[in-house]
Amino acid sequence: MTTIRDIARESGVSVSTVSRVLAGHPDVSPSTAAVVHAAIERHHFHVNRNASNLKRGNTTSILVIVKGRYNMLFAAMMEHVQAAVTATGHTVIAQYMDEDANEVAEAERWVGEIKPCGVIFLGADAGHMEQSHLLGEKCPAVVLTNSLDALARPGISCVTTNDRAAAASAIEYLLDSGHRRIGVIGGQPAQSAMSAHRQRGVIEAMTSHGVEFDLAKNYIATRFSLESGYLAAQRLLESAPHITAVYAMGDIMALGAIRGFYERGLRVPDDISLIGHDGIEPASYVVPKLTTVRQPREALVTRGVEILMRHIGGDPTPVAEIMDVEIVSGESVRRLAE
């Protein structure tokens, strides 16, 4: 039996483009629509509307679950999500929730109520996803920025970066700049797989260079917000007063930390160096300009939406893709004299 995926392959277009042609959306060029219609006629292809309605809940909406109300990375990614999803002919329904909440349980509640075509998670833990009963073949889902580890369930995919390697690269950058007494401001490893992976990357990088890292004193676990970074910076100075550099697992934390250090009489980078993580836009405008590990947020979203459309189109094959990060040098890390 011919599927929408077969039509897309023969026409040389995406599944989402075929879906838009079938729905009569005007944003497909006449030449492309003609090619798709020709393939449809050759195969006598037709959409099973009853099956489609049952699967999609008679809606064209995509539910987006944003984990972290103050996460500026996700706020920036939402702009790309809105554009990418709208281009497929679907609409976005966004739900923001606390970073400590169970995002999958919240998603399942909304899936039961509004019956979206699919779900996009900006931040989600594999442990929560494993407990899901609705997500997958019944309602496809894609997780962005978090790995699903060994989870290989049909209809559930992820597009992310290697958090462990990314955190290690941040520490390597500080080590290469001559720093050995390094503190870290991060999330709660017990509650966040992402924070756990980044913490592991920190420890591995330090260990590989023979540098001692006292987890109890040099790691402050907190929330991803300006205020949390501000307070964590001061706590870190109390527990590890001799540090010369800090890695903040989120730029939002790093921005708050700059003020926290300032109020303790320390200037960045003259007195203490600082590197962030995410590459949010404000990091380029703060003084000093923040050195950061930048995530490819637009590429993450574009690929994630492509995969979700493939799932919605009938291909439940799970995908797990990892994209590269880059360190963007700013003005917040000072090289120590050897």
Side-chain angles (χ1 to χ4, degrees), residues 31 38 67 95 100 111 114 125 130 166 178 183 188 237 256 286 288 304 311:
S31 59
K67 190 171 184 181
Q95 293 299 321
D100 297 331
V111 167
I114 65 175
D125 280 353
E130 289 175 351
Q188 299 281 356
L237 292 176
V286 68
H311 289 336

Side-chain angles (χ1 to χ4, degrees), residues 11 13-37 86-89:
S11 303
V13 299
S14 66
V15 170
S16 61
T17 297
V18 177
S19 297
R20 294 201 299 277
V21 171
L22 290 168
H25 285 283
D27 60 342
V28 181
S29 69
S31 59
T32 298
V35 171
V36 173
H37 281 302
T86 300
T88 69

Side-chain angles (χ1 to χ4, degrees), residues 44-316:
H44 305 288
F45 177 77
H46 68 277
V47 179
N48 185 332
R49 297 295 178 186
N50 289 331
S52 178
N53 287 344
L54 283 172
K55 180 179 180 181
R56 300 188 179 195
N58 199 27
T59 179
T60 60
S61 62
I62 300 296
L63 175 65
V64 182
I65 298 292
V66 184
K67 190 171 184 181
R69 301 179 190 277
Y70 308 105
N71 192 311
M72 295 183 73
L73 171 68
F74 291 164
M77 290 180 71
M78 270 302 298
E79 296 182 21
H80 300 305
V81 169
Q82 184 72 55
V85 169
T86 300
T88 69
H90 294 79
T91 57
V92 170
I93 298 176
Q95 293 299 321
Y96 293 79
M97 56 192 305
D98 193 85
E99 65 183 68
D100 297 331
N102 186 320
E103 71 288 342
V104 173
E106 181 71 5
E108 289 196 329
R109 183 176 73 82
W110 280 97
V111 167
E113 292 181 4
I114 65 175
K115 296 181 173 56
C117 299
V119 182
I120 294 174
F121 289 91
L122 297 185
D125 280 353
H128 292 161
M129 197 65 69
E130 289 175 351
Q131 301 168 12
S132 173
H133 300 293
L134 289 178
L135 301 178
E137 290 185 280
K138 293 182 180 179
C139 182
V142 170
V143 174
L144 302 181
T145 75
N146 285 81
S147 171
L148 296 182
D149 298 321
L151 182 67
R153 183 181 300 174
I156 299 180
S157 295
C158 67
V159 185
T160 184
T161 58
N162 188 325
D163 282 307
R164 199 161 99 184
S169 70
I171 298 301
E172 294 278 358
Y173 189 94
L174 294 176
L175 292 170
D176 290 344
S177 297
H179 297 278
R180 293 296 181 271
R181 300 192 300 274
I182 300 172
V184 178
I185 298 172
Q188 299 281 356
Q191 300 175 6
S192 165
M194 177 269 286
S195 296
H197 290 317
R198 292 184 186 179
Q199 186 188 82
R200 175 53 55 188
V202 167
I203 295 172
E204 289 178 350
M206 299 286 276
T207 301
S208 68
H209 285 264
V211 179
E212 183 180 354
F213 184 74
D214 189 332
L215 193 60
K217 294 182 179 179
N218 290 54
Y219 186 94
I220 301 297
T222 188
R223 300 168 65 84
F224 287 78
S225 71
L226 285 167
E227 182 182 20
S228 296
Y230 163 78
L231 296 173
Q234 299 186 52
R235 288 170 53 199
L236 184 57
L237 292 176
E238 293 171 359
S239 63
H242 302 298
I243 56 174
T244 63
V246 172
Y247 162 52
M249 290 186 181
D251 285 345
I252 190 70
M253 292 172 164
L255 298 183
I258 291 175
R259 182 69 190 186
F261 293 139
Y262 178 81
E263 292 192 1
R264 291 299 178 96
L266 299 179
R267 300 293 183 96
V268 176
D270 296 342
D271 304 306
I272 190 166
S273 290
L274 178 65
I275 186 170
H277 197 128
D278 287 336
I280 62 175
E281 189 174 14
S284 298
Y285 295 95
V286 68
V287 178
K289 181 179 179 181
L290 186 66
T291 295
T292 183
V293 181
R294 182 163 63 192
Q295 299 202 59
R297 54 179 181 264
E298 185 172 1
L300 287 166
V301 170
T302 299
R303 184 60 180 138
V305 172
E306 288 176 355
I307 293 170
L308 184 62
M309 291 302 112
R310 183 193 304 171
H311 289 336
I312 291 173
D315 181 0

